[in-house]
Amino acid sequence: MTTDPLLLMGEVDAATSRLLRTAASFDTADLAAASLLPGWTRGHVLAHVARNADGFVNLLTAARTGAALPMYASLDARTADIEAGSGRPPAAHLDDLRRTADLFSEAVAAMPADAWAATVQARKGPWPAALLVWGRLREIEVHHLDLAADYRAADWSEAFAHRLLREAASHHATGPTPPSIVLRLDGSEHEVVIGERVDAPIVAGPAPDVAAWLIGRADGALLSVTPDGPLPTPPEWI
């Protein structure tokens, strides 16, 4: 998968279209149903995706102008905005998702080449502006899964799944209590090692399913583990 933010926008647009199709299938009862995220309905997830687009527009604006503009006014404001938007009717959710997706695309198009070298203040700390488009793609694809609708990790592209998997593996490896796991991906001759290889269990399967399990979005039912036994429990993902 390309690291060029402008080329990656094609993936963002395609992922947004898939998410909008799923959202358009929801009625009021569907939106009130539970998502895969504890305590959140599908309405909460859709409201979060829209507010995330607003936050990324803020970061792109900060990178372009040099203004000290945070992603969100505050974490409390972020939470309140998601809660306030979660119970809206289906048409309002769709309008918000389309509008904010368009604003994100416009903010990306407005970026001069040198602005991508900036560092911005994301929710969890400084972040390279060059990764903002990837961050938006990751947000859309992972939260589409969280809607608990007819969308699975297997629907992710192999390129997206591999990049997400390696990012999650790096996150876990540098955490306070890194696990020891060897990941073997179907169709790949390369392994991904987290922690110490010696005596580490080997978890194998398709890259999208390994990635979904590694970020806590799947139970790993399609994966195998060697030696036989239960799958290890990955640390909490971002």
Side-chain angles (χ1 to χ4, degrees), residues 32-238:
S35 74
L36 295 184
L37 297 176
W40 272 18
T41 65
R42 286 173 172 149
H44 284 90
V45 174
L46 293 182
H48 167 63
V49 172
R51 300 290 70 77
N52 170 265
D54 287 338
F56 273 99
V57 168
N58 287 340
L59 295 181
L60 289 163
T61 303
R64 179 172 55 82
T65 65
L69 191 62
M71 187 171 184
Y72 301 107
S74 69
L75 291 182
D76 286 343
R78 170 183 176 269
T79 300
D81 286 344
I82 293 170
E83 191 64 40
S86 64
R88 294 173 299 182
H93 275 291
L94 270 178
D95 287 346
D96 195 21
L97 288 168
R98 290 192 185 105
R99 179 186 61 82
T100 54
D102 287 345
L103 290 174
F104 177 79
S105 295
E106 291 167 7
V108 169
M111 287 279 284
D114 60 350
W116 292 111
T119 298
V120 294
Q121 190 66 31
R123 183 168 66 90
K124 292 197 173 183
W127 218 41
L131 291 179
L132 291 174
V133 177
W134 159 252
R136 178 61 180 167
L137 176 61
R138 184 184 64 193
E139 198 78 9
I140 296 167
E141 290 284 49
V142 171
H143 286 311
H144 197 167
L145 209 68
D146 290 333
L147 290 172
D150 191 21
Y151 194 73
R152 304 287 182 266
D155 295 313
W156 290 340
S157 72
E158 283 287 319
F160 173 82
H162 277 273
R163 181 166 179 176
L164 177 64
L165 185 153
R166 291 181 181 279
E167 183 179 78
S170 177
H171 170 79
H172 293 333
T174 57
T177 55
S180 292
I181 309 170
V182 176
L183 306 176
R184 288 186 179 167
L185 312 177
D186 291 356
S188 174
E189 297 179 358
H190 302 287
E191 297 177 336
V192 177
V193 180
I194 305 174
E196 297 294 330
R197 177 189 286 273
V198 178
D199 296 328
I202 299 170
V203 176
D209 296 294
V210 175
W213 165 75
L214 201 58
I215 65 170
R217 259 55 179 204
D219 61 8
L222 299 178
L223 308 179
S224 65
V225 60
T226 306
D228 288 340
L231 281 166
T233 301
E236 183 179 357
W237 185 59
I238 55 177

